Amino acid sequence: MADLINTNNPMDFYRSEISKLLAPIAGKPVNEIYERLAWTQTFDKGDLGLPVPSLRVQGKKPAELATEWSEKFPVSAWVEKPVVAGTFIQFFFKPEPLTKLIIPAILQMKTTYGTNFKLGMRDELDPSKGKKRIVVEFSSPNIAKPFHAGHLRSTIIGGFLANLYESAGWEVIRINYLGDWGRQFGLLANAFETYGDETKLEKDPIGHLYDIYVEINKVSKPEEDKIKEKKEELQQAETNGKDTTELKKEIASLEADSTNEKARKYFKRLEDGDQAARAVWARFRDLSIAKYEKTYARLNIHYDHYLGESQVEMWRMARVMEELRESGLSEDSNGAVIVDLTKNKDAKVKKLGKVLVRKTDGSTLYLTRDLAGAVKRNEVFKPDKMLYVIASQQDLYMTQFFKIMELMGHGEIVKKYQHVNFGMVLGMSTRKGTVKFLDDILRDVGDKMHEVMQKNAAKYEQVENPEQTADTLGITAVMVQDMTGKRINNYEFSLERMTSFEGDTGPYLQYAHARLCSISRKAGVRPEDLVTADLSLLTESHAVNLVRALSSWPDVVQNTLKTLEPVTVLAYLFKMTHMLSSSYDVLKVVGSEPELKEARMALYEAARQVLNNGMKLLGLNPVERLEPPREIIFSILRDKLSINVSQDVIDMNHCFDTSMAL
């Protein structure tokens, strides 16, 4: 038990046991075998597996070695006789010792079960050297615009990654890098001068700012279309050798009078320190942050720093421009400054193209500020690792950004920085005014949940703070839907899809947790009796397999540090809740003999703890009370979505209905 408490990972305990027994047989070092023992995808393949070819033993075929080693493997108090499957050796843990190890460990460690704080230490042998530090940049919306579902993925994934590294013992710094600078702000400021209404701004600042942003784009879009049309006409005229003097004058006049040019000039005032422009900017920024914080709080997200492009000092950007010049990377291009990566000798770098770093009027761009900001973060935060949680739409930009930094001489910084990309939420556009706002989505889903909950008056009265519970259920539905697939996958924005209760959903997890809490309340077993329960009574296959699943949770967390995929955790939780659902009829608590009741309740409490830990790692708030889901699920599916009830939903409700007898 001491070794297990040290690592919080029972798989490490078993890896150590197996490695020590196998090392003298295989003639390989213990640590080499330890590192190659992998967890399995399904229980029929064992609890741990060893791919014999990975040990690179010469002289015999891997299949022969697997058979030989398996036959020579000594009797163990913890592991059954190994099973050979081709070139793999499968190790099955003995049920009773595993059960007596895992359940007490979970009940003792509680929220720390699955964590391994040693992973975040600079030196495991010398804790005084402190923790490694990681900076996670995520969400990063633009100021004065509502937080829409397009920001959802960065926010949810980034929040999860921050939680994940904290569970591994890292010091985590969460930053929100706001889009509070650039021409788009000039566009918004000019829009307020034209369409702004102080009364509306005071009543609904973010909503009003968004409305005028849409209005100004209705003006700028036709202007830009006209300029584009004239430029195409100019190109054709030049090709045909025609006089283009008047056409060039017309284009210059259109550009000079355009809404976008006025926005550019306003932004230049900001960069030059104009006090009036700065005051407007600060007001819009403060209003935006105040609104964002409320939304983030609903999603269990918090930040250590709200940064922004505006906070990158001019002298830092000047230093970047000087470094680019001295390294020979930058060059003049019709009055602007570019980095031409097509001149690089590396064929892969050539494909990155030409990158603008300063406009003809001397104003900076996003890339210029990012380069300066990246160096600043390294100096200020001194991170061991930095994650940029940014959409895959920006893959090219991020590759250009990292490569330019490296060529500037900041290769050591680039080694620490990583782009964590993700697919897009499709079907939204702020420019066209068709955006669907996250606050509205959460409110609508929460309201519907609350409405359906009220249909069951008796159960409704038992729920503490039903409005909050309904809101939590709705938020869970939205967040889990977003995490269901791999990060890189795009998905079409759909309220119906988010609120669907078919298959594996957020509410399914909440019901599973609430069901376990309900079993605990009805069983009436004291916590101290769980600790002394006779776990040798848990002999049914349902109990044994559930324990095996619980034992693998720390390995799942550790593997997720490699994949950085929320779905790695989510898939595990759904697999475990399915096992729970199929166990309720077999492993009854209420009505069982006292000793058996205590043993089964200890198992269920251990499962509840792991489910709770996993949900919180994902950023969810586990609820303790919910009425049976039949009313909620059937009502929404029939009344709101008009779709048929699947067998998955029927099965899910069946398991909860039958569990009422527990």
Side-chain angles (χ1 to χ4, degrees):
M1 177 64 76
D3 288 343
L4 179 54
I5 296 296
N6 262 348
T7 66
N8 286 15
N9 189 348
M11 290 296 183
D12 289 343
F13 175 84
Y14 279 92
R15 285 189 182 95
S16 179
E17 172 74 7
I18 294 169
S19 300
K20 290 175 183 176
L21 295 175
L22 192 58
I25 300 170
K28 286 288 184 177
V30 171
N31 65 323
E32 191 172 336
I33 296 173
Y34 183 100
E35 291 170 359
R36 286 162 176 76
L37 284 167
W39 59 310
T40 61
Q41 294 295 325
T42 55
F43 290 149
D44 62 311
K45 295 179 181 178
D47 296 286
L48 284 174
L50 177 67
V52 174
S54 67
L55 291 175
R56 300 178 183 275
V57 176
Q58 303 297 319
K60 288 186 178 181
K61 293 180 179 180
E64 294 176 357
L65 289 171
T67 301
E68 179 184 325
W69 295 352
S70 176
E71 291 173 351
K72 293 181 179 180
F73 195 84
V75 175
S76 166
W78 299 93
V79 184
E80 304 281 8
K81 191 71 174 176
V83 176
V84 176
T87 60
F88 281 78
I89 302 178
Q90 300 170 346
F91 296 94
F92 292 80
F93 304 159
K94 290 186 175 180
E96 186 172 333
L98 178 67
T99 300
K100 291 182 176 180
L101 178 69
I102 297 304
I103 293 179
I106 297 173
L107 297 180
Q108 181 179 342
M109 297 178 197
K110 299 186 183 300
T111 59
T112 63
Y113 180 68
T115 62
N116 187 350
F117 296 135
K118 286 187 176 182
L119 296 175
M121 294 171 61
R122 295 188 187 279
D123 185 344
E124 287 189 18
L125 302 178
D126 186 2
S128 66
K129 292 183 179 179
K131 299 179 178 181
K132 289 184 283 190
R133 180 179 298 151
I134 185 171
V135 175
V136 185
E137 176 200 305
F138 61 107
S139 194
S140 304
N142 295 316
I143 71 164
K145 296 180 188 177
F147 186 105
H148 62 79
H151 297 117
L152 185 66
R153 305 210 76 181
S154 177
T155 305
I156 292 175
I157 294 168
F160 165 72
L161 293 176
N163 294 342
L164 181 65
Y165 275 92
E166 274 186 339
S167 76
W170 287 62
E171 177 191 352
V172 178
I173 298 175
R174 297 166 170 84
I175 66 172
N176 197 337
Y177 189 61
L178 300 174
D180 63 353
W181 212 237
R183 183 190 62 80
Q184 75 275 6
F185 184 81
L187 195 66
L188 184 64
N190 286 333
F192 189 74
E193 289 181 2
T194 305
Y195 307 106
D197 184 310
E198 283 294 333
T199 302
K200 292 181 179 179
L201 183 67
E202 290 297 325
K203 183 179 180 180
D204 181 16
I206 300 301
H208 182 54
L209 290 174
Y210 169 70
D211 289 341
I212 64 173
Y213 177 75
V214 171
E215 288 302 315
I216 199 72
N217 272 287
K218 290 179 181 178
V219 176
S220 66
K221 183 63 167 60
E223 293 176 350
E224 293 306 305
D225 289 345
K226 182 68 174 178
I227 292 171
K228 181 181 179 182
E229 179 186 322
K230 289 296 179 181
K231 285 185 175 180
E232 290 173 353
E233 187 179 330
L234 173 63
Q235 186 178 9
Q236 187 64 40
E238 289 176 337
T239 301
N240 296 331
K242 294 182 179 180
D243 182 13
T244 58
T245 304
E246 292 303 316
L247 191 54
K248 287 181 178 178
K249 288 182 180 179
E250 183 182 359
I251 292 173
S253 176
L254 287 171
E255 288 181 330
D257 295 335
S258 70
T259 300
N260 278 337
E261 178 61 17
K262 292 174 183 176
R264 185 195 62 76
K265 289 180 178 178
Y266 194 102
F267 175 58
K268 190 65 169 64
R269 286 171 55 196
L270 266 178
E271 285 201 307
D272 293 341
D274 182 278
Q275 291 188 356
R278 285 271 177 168
V280 174
W281 165 82
R283 186 183 185 197
F284 290 175
R285 188 180 193 274
D286 291 345
L287 287 170
S288 295
I289 291 176
K291 178 62 176 176
Y292 296 148
E293 287 180 331
K294 292 179 180 179
T295 300
Y296 291 133
R298 297 182 71 189
L299 298 172
N300 286 329
I301 300 290
H302 71 276
Y303 289 95
D304 299 295
H305 302 279
Y306 280 91
L307 305 180
E309 299 172 70
S310 62
Q311 295 178 14
V312 180
E313 299 88 342
M314 292 298 291
W315 67 266
R316 288 186 181 277
M317 287 184 279
R319 187 173 71 179
V320 163
M321 296 305 299
E322 182 64 18
E323 288 179 3
L324 287 170
R325 186 187 65 78
E326 289 180 351
S327 62
L329 288 171
S330 64
E331 59 184 72
D332 182 79
S333 177
N334 299 319
V337 179
I338 67 168
V339 173
D340 189 355
L341 295 173
T342 64
K343 295 180 178 180
N344 194 280
K345 295 180 180 179
D346 189 322
K348 292 183 179 179
V349 178
K350 285 179 180 290
K351 294 180 181 179
L352 298 179
K354 300 177 181 180
V355 188
L356 184 65
V357 291
R358 191 170 65 190
K359 296 181 180 179
T360 53
D361 64 357
S363 61
T364 60
L365 288 100
Y366 197 87
L367 178 62
T368 323
R369 298 187 286 274
D370 267 355
L371 291 169
V375 176
K376 179 179 180 179
R377 289 176 188 182
N378 190 59
E379 294 173 357
V380 173
F381 297 120
K382 297 179 173 57
D384 296 281
K385 192 176 185 65
M386 161 86 197
L387 300 181
Y388 290 87
V389 187
I390 300 174
S392 57
Q393 197 176 37
Q394 300 296 322
D395 281 356
L396 174 60
Y397 171 82
M398 293 302 295
T399 304
Q400 293 170 332
F401 164 60
F402 286 141
K403 179 52 66 175
I404 291 173
M405 277 202 71
E406 179 187 329
L407 295 174
M408 287 170 63
H410 296 298
E412 290 304 311
I413 296 179
V414 174
K415 288 179 182 177
K416 298 188 293 184
Y417 289 10
Q418 179 181 353
H419 174 208
V420 179
N421 63 358
F422 55 89
M424 299 298 293
V425 182
L426 307 176
M428 291 172 288
S429 171
T430 56
R431 291 179 61 84
K432 296 178 182 178
T434 59
V435 68
K436 300 170 183 178
F437 302 133
L438 183 61
D439 276 344
D440 296 332
I441 297 167
L442 298 182
R443 184 188 63 247
D444 291 346
V445 176
D447 287 349
K448 182 60 181 178
M449 295 294 183
H450 188 219
E451 173 190 324
V452 178
M453 286 169 63
Q454 288 177 306
K455 293 181 180 180
N456 189 325
K459 291 293 182 181
Y460 182 81
E461 292 176 358
Q462 297 176 19
V463 180
E464 295 180 16
N465 197 344
E467 292 85 359
Q468 181 60 47
T469 299
D471 187 63
T472 299
L473 197 60
I475 290 171
T476 301
V478 173
M479 292 180 69
V480 168
Q481 176 60 67
D482 195 82
M483 294 185 283
T484 298
K486 286 194 173 182
R487 284 187 285 105
I488 198 62
N489 294 341
N490 296 339
Y491 73 84
E492 188 72 27
F493 177 84
S494 168
L495 181 60
E496 286 73 20
R497 183 178 178 223
M498 286 183 174
T499 56
S500 174
F501 282 78
E502 288 190 277
D504 293 335
T505 66
Y508 185 96
L509 288 183
Q510 292 288 13
Y511 293 135
H513 186 269
R515 182 69 256 153
L516 289 167
C517 293
S518 175
I519 292 172
S520 178
R521 288 192 298 270
K522 292 175 181 177
V525 178
R526 299 178 305 173
E528 55 267 32
D529 292 333
L530 299 180
V531 178
T532 59
D534 183 358
L535 302 178
S536 65
L537 299 175
L538 298 174
T539 58
E540 299 88 350
S541 61
H542 287 78
V544 171
N545 284 334
L546 186 53
V547 171
R548 294 172 74 187
L550 297 177
S551 72
S552 67
W553 167 241
D555 248 23
V556 171
V557 177
Q558 195 160 324
N559 187 52
T560 306
L561 282 165
K562 300 175 183 177
T563 67
L564 301 185
E565 293 277 4
V567 72
T568 306
V569 170
L570 196 60
Y572 168 85
L573 295 182
F574 281 131
K575 178 181 177 180
M576 188 186 72
T577 53
H578 294 162
M579 294 176 69
L580 278 166
S581 296
S582 66
S583 298
Y584 290 136
D585 279 337
V586 179
L587 306 176
K588 293 183 181 294
V589 174
V590 177
S592 298
E593 292 298 320
E595 289 187 351
L596 187 57
K597 177 200 282 191
E598 291 174 0
R600 289 175 175 174
M601 197 59 244
L603 173 62
Y604 282 138
E605 174 55 24
R608 187 209 62 79
Q609 184 66 67
V610 171
L611 179 57
N612 186 285
N613 292 355
M615 292 176 71
K616 287 183 176 177
L617 185 62
L618 292 171
L620 307 175
N621 273 331
V623 299
E624 296 186 1
R625 285 184 182 271
L626 282 176
E627 68 272 25
R630 182 177 295 276
E631 293 89 348
I632 293 180
I633 295 176
F634 280 27
S635 175
I636 293 181
L637 289 177
R638 291 171 177 166
D639 301 342
K640 187 176 180 65
L641 305 182
S642 300
I643 61 177
N644 294 325
V645 180
S646 73
Q647 187 62 41
D648 287 342
V649 176
I650 295 173
D651 288 346
M652 183 178 76
N653 279 274
H654 172 71
C655 77
F656 282 112
D657 288 345
T658 56
S659 70
M660 291 299 289
L662 296 169

